[in-house]
Amino acid sequence: MTLLPVLPSAAGACCSPVTGGVLEDEQAEALARTFKALGDPNRVKLLSIIAAADDQEACVCDLTEPVGLTQPTVSHHMKLLVDAGLVAREQRGRWAYFSIVPGALDALAGALTSRP
């Protein structure tokens, strides 16, 4: 599996938190894209399933039943989470495996944390 670095434009990894001053347009747009990806309860649940897994990894085949959605629908939701920089995708044979991008959730949380 190849891990990609968290880029400044992804997952809210901006220079200052929302509460630390006025964000630049680019920073606000990047944060909004990431939060939009989390604007669907199914995607939040999928992210939580992956985060709760022993190795913080899940096969798409194991994600359909817990959310009660078809595999194509789950794959669509996972693509949006990948595009938002929250989840990494690795193809293993015919199955896709997903894992949390290291630091992505911390960066997103940090964007909302007050700093003196």
Side-chain angles (χ1 to χ4, degrees), residues 4 18 25 41 43 50 55 59 62 80-83 102-103 112:
L4 301 175
V18 171
D25 290 345
R43 289 192 286 274
I50 297 167
D55 51 2
C59 174
D62 295 325
L80 295 175
L81 291 171
V82 168
D83 291 347
L112 295 176

Side-chain angles (χ1 to χ4, degrees), residues 8 15-17 19 21 25 29 32 41 51 55 60 63 65-66 75-76 80 82-83 87 94 97 101 110 114 116:
C15 300
S16 63
T19 58
D25 290 345
E29 289 170 10
D55 51 2
V60 71
L63 295 173
E65 187 179 323
S75 290
H76 168 74
L80 295 175
V82 168
D83 291 347
V87 175
R94 68 180 270 191
Y97 285 78
V101 171
S114 295

Side-chain angles (χ1 to χ4, degrees), residues 17-89:
V18 171
T19 58
V22 178
L23 295 175
E24 297 293 326
D25 290 345
E26 190 174 294
Q27 293 171 316
E29 289 170 10
L31 277 172
R33 277 192 302 274
T34 304
F35 283 117
K36 184 176 181 180
L38 293 174
D40 182 283
N42 290 309
R43 289 192 286 274
V44 173
K45 187 168 183 180
L46 289 165
L47 193 64
S48 74
I49 292 167
I50 297 167
D54 289 336
D55 51 2
Q56 291 194 326
E57 176 181 88
C59 174
V60 71
C61 60
D62 295 325
L63 295 173
T64 56
E65 187 179 323
V67 291
L69 299 172
T70 64
Q71 186 273 324
T73 302
V74 169
S75 290
H76 168 74
H77 285 302
M78 294 310 300
K79 180 185 182 321
L80 295 175
L81 291 171
V82 168
D83 291 347
L86 296 170
V87 175
R89 180 184 189 277

